[in-house]
Amino acid sequence: MLERLGHYLQDYGLILRGGFHPADDDPLATEAGTLVLIGNAGSAIWPPFEEQHTPHKDALDIWTKQVLDKAAALFGATAFYPSDGPPYHPFQQWAQQAEGLSPSPLFILMHPEYGLWHAYRGALAFREKLDLPERKAAPSPCDSCVDRPCLTGCPVDAFSSDGYDVAACAAHLRTAAGADCMNHGCAARRACPIGRDYHYTPGHAAFHMKAFVRARGD
């Protein structure tokens, strides 16, 4: 089943992002024997989305739900989304159960191959316990990164050991000096050497940056 689901998702630039069997004490266990996460790596998602979506401030969420609701109906599953809520589903926790990920200094989960250039778009819950590929454990690339260029790559030093200064980041993006980040994606994120082959294309990156600024009230 998962192989067929993977082939279905390919047409939309989406991929299977691992899965897990909820423990008996997990509230999810009442609904699912298996939870499979679905998302993207790099910009494979961008051409299908750009071609098929309709203009709306929540266009990506709407398009994703159209794709995955159809997948849920075809494969006998229940779909969950990061945008559902409040209360929101714990996708960050689910992701770390499904794949070998680790926190990064930018507060984005680090993937050993994709780096910071990946996302989770939804999850499909199956009643039965499906056979899943073995979860591959890998050391975090951040642990062996001495220079930490991500922490010095931000033009306004929005990232530090104290956290992420969201207001400073958003204010910078509204200025002419912020055009590079707006058009090509976060400079700190781009400074990371892991997953360079998966950097978002300019159109894809700009879409997310505009959505971020809009969410901050602009």
Side-chain angles (χ1 to χ4, degrees):
M1 180 188 293
L2 292 182
E3 185 177 355
R4 290 189 289 113
L5 175 59
H7 286 308
Y8 167 83
L9 296 172
Q10 282 179 356
D11 290 340
Y12 302 97
L14 294 166
I15 56 175
L16 298 175
R17 299 294 310 270
F20 63 92
H21 301 126
D24 291 340
D25 60 351
D26 187 331
L28 190 62
T30 62
E31 301 180 62
T34 307
L35 189 75
V36 176
L37 274 73
I38 294 167
N40 64 280
S43 285
I45 192 177
W46 185 247
F49 167 69
E50 193 174 31
E51 179 182 343
Q52 299 167 10
H53 83 280
T54 54
H56 191 279
K57 67 181 183 66
D58 298 319
L60 185 55
D61 288 341
I62 292 170
W63 178 82
T64 297
K65 288 182 178 182
Q66 290 173 343
V67 173
L68 296 188
D69 282 351
K70 182 179 177 182
L74 286 171
F75 292 93
T78 301
F80 296 98
Y81 301 99
S83 58
D84 290 343
Y88 296 98
H89 300 299
F91 266 81
Q92 296 280 307
Q93 296 175 28
W94 289 352
Q96 292 180 82
Q97 287 181 260
E99 293 191 280
L101 305 175
S102 56
S104 75
L106 301 189
F107 311 101
I108 303 171
L109 289 174
M110 170 64 70
H111 188 280
E113 179 182 357
Y114 309 140
L116 304 174
W117 302 96
H118 63 99
Y120 295 90
R121 299 297 170 195
L124 294 182
F126 296 87
R127 285 284 181 184
E128 61 269 47
K129 281 195 172 183
L130 303 176
D131 290 333
L132 294 170
E134 183 179 353
R135 181 180 178 276
K136 296 180 180 178
S140 171
C142 299
D143 291 343
S144 57
C145 183
V146 176
D147 294 334
R148 298 270 171 129
C150 60
L151 292 179
T152 57
C154 176
V156 292
D157 298 322
F159 298 98
S160 71
S161 57
D162 295 327
Y164 171 34
D165 190 339
V166 180
C169 174
H172 173 68
L173 293 172
R174 295 187 183 102
T175 68
D180 178 61
C181 288
M182 280 294 292
N183 295 329
H184 301 285
C186 168
R189 195 175 182 182
R190 284 183 282 138
C192 176
I194 308 301
R196 290 193 185 279
D197 290 343
Y198 293 93
H199 278 199
Y200 291 168
T201 59
H204 186 186
F207 174 87
H208 287 299
M209 300 304 284
K210 289 175 183 175
F212 168 73
V213 171
R214 186 170 58 245
R216 293 297 303 172
D218 188 357

